[in-house]
């Protein structure tokens, strides 16, 4: 079936099948958070992005294969609400941006810096540190050698523009600058964007919203 990225809480996952990577997207919790399960097709190793809520839903998605790691995109509680239960059940390593790790109650095993590489099996994800929504938000880039890049943005970029900075002009400027320089300037229009809430988009579709 064709992947659309349209999911709803209580509904099934939508699966994006790439040549080397399977991406399963599911919506969980009262704030309609997206969680993404990445599976390396060569090794079967799995990584979860944002153990947001509903640990039973996430553990059912993970299945008997377990996960090697969990990446938390930022410190806000709706993105780590099920982290403790998932880590306890799977023994997964935890990753988060260095400057947000102290705000996440589950210890971070690997603090992530801008430009760090996170692996899931034979697949590499490049971390981008984005300031403004929180001090230490991270986005993850999978540069698919068989197609266009894939970008997991947490709450820093959505369909329609950048994430919330709560009326703080300095934070807005920092986030806009980071999104423009570290994402928009570095990646092509075809880059598929997987946000922390709601539907997917592409960088090309979002460029007009940032001008």
């Amino acid at each position: 079936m064709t992947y659309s990225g349209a999911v709803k809480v209580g509904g099934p996952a939508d699966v994006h099948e790439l040549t080397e990577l399977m991406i399963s997207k599911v919506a969980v919790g009262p704030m309609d958070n997206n969680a993404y399960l990445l599976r390396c097709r060569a090794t079967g190793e799995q990584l979860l992005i944002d153990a947001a809520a509903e640990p039973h839903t996430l553990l059912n998605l993970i299945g008997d294969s377990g996960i090697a790691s969990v990446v938390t995109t930022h410190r806000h509680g709706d993105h780590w609400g099920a982290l403790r239960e998932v880590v306890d059940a799977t023994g997964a390593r935890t990753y988060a941006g260095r400057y947000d790790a102290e705000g996440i109650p589950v210890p971070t095993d690997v603090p992530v810096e801008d430009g760090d590489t996170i692996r899931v099996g034979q697949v590499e994800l490049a971390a981008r540190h984005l300031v403004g929504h929180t001090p230490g938000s991270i986005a993850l880039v999978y540069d698919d050698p068989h197609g266009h890049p894939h970008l997991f943005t947490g709450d820093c970029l959505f369909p329609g523009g950048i994430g919330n900075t709560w009326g703080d002009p300095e934070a807005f400027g920092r986030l806009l600058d980071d999104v423009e320089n570290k994402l928009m300037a570095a990646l092509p229009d075809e880059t598929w964007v997987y946000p922390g809430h709601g539907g997917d988009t592409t960088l090309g579709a979002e460029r007009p919203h940032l001008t």
Side-chain angles (χ1 to χ4, degrees):
M1 294 182 65
T2 301
Y3 174 81
S4 70
V7 293
K8 61 181 181 180
V9 175
D14 198 7
V15 181
H16 205 168
E17 297 191 24
L18 309 179
T19 303
E20 298 183 15
L21 186 67
M22 301 267 293
I23 303 169
S24 298
K25 176 183 181 179
V26 66
V28 292
M31 297 185 70
D32 291 347
N33 285 74
N34 296 325
Y36 299 95
L37 181 69
L38 279 54
R39 180 182 181 89
C40 171
R41 300 186 76 155
T43 67
E45 185 170 290
Q46 298 189 127
L47 173 151
L48 183 69
I49 298 175
D50 283 347
E54 299 181 28
H56 58 285
T57 298
L58 299 180
L59 291 170
N60 284 338
L61 180 68
I62 290 165
D64 295 336
S65 298
I67 51 172
S69 47
V70 184
V71 179
T72 302
T73 58
H74 63 287
R75 64 171 61 183
H76 290 158
D78 60 307
H79 289 260
W80 49 253
L83 183 59
R84 169 53 66 195
E85 291 89 343
V86 169
V87 169
D88 285 350
T90 63
R93 293 185 305 274
T94 55
Y95 292 76
R98 179 174 298 278
Y99 303 104
D100 267 13
E102 67 180 11
I104 300 169
V106 179
T108 297
D109 297 322
V110 184
V112 177
E113 302 276 7
D114 187 58
D116 282 356
T117 297
I118 300 172
R119 293 180 177 271
V120 51
Q122 297 179 4
V123 170
E124 293 186 350
L125 306 170
R128 296 289 178 262
H129 175 212
L130 307 173
V131 180
H133 183 69
T134 65
S137 291
I138 54 172
L140 299 176
V141 182
Y142 170 51
D143 193 0
D144 186 355
H146 305 281
H148 53 73
H150 296 258
L151 173 63
F152 302 87
T153 57
D155 283 0
C156 289
L157 181 65
F158 294 101
I162 63 172
N164 198 343
T165 56
W166 297 278
D168 182 335
E170 181 178 354
F172 179 85
R174 289 290 304 274
L175 182 56
L176 182 61
D177 185 64
D178 276 356
V179 168
E180 288 182 332
N181 290 304
K182 295 184 179 182
L183 304 182
M184 292 291 182
L187 297 167
D189 283 353
E190 297 77 18
T191 301
W192 194 286
V193 176
Y194 306 83
H197 306 261
D200 298 356
T201 186
T202 64
L203 286 188
E206 299 315 308
R207 287 190 198 278
H209 298 294
L210 302 185
T211 58

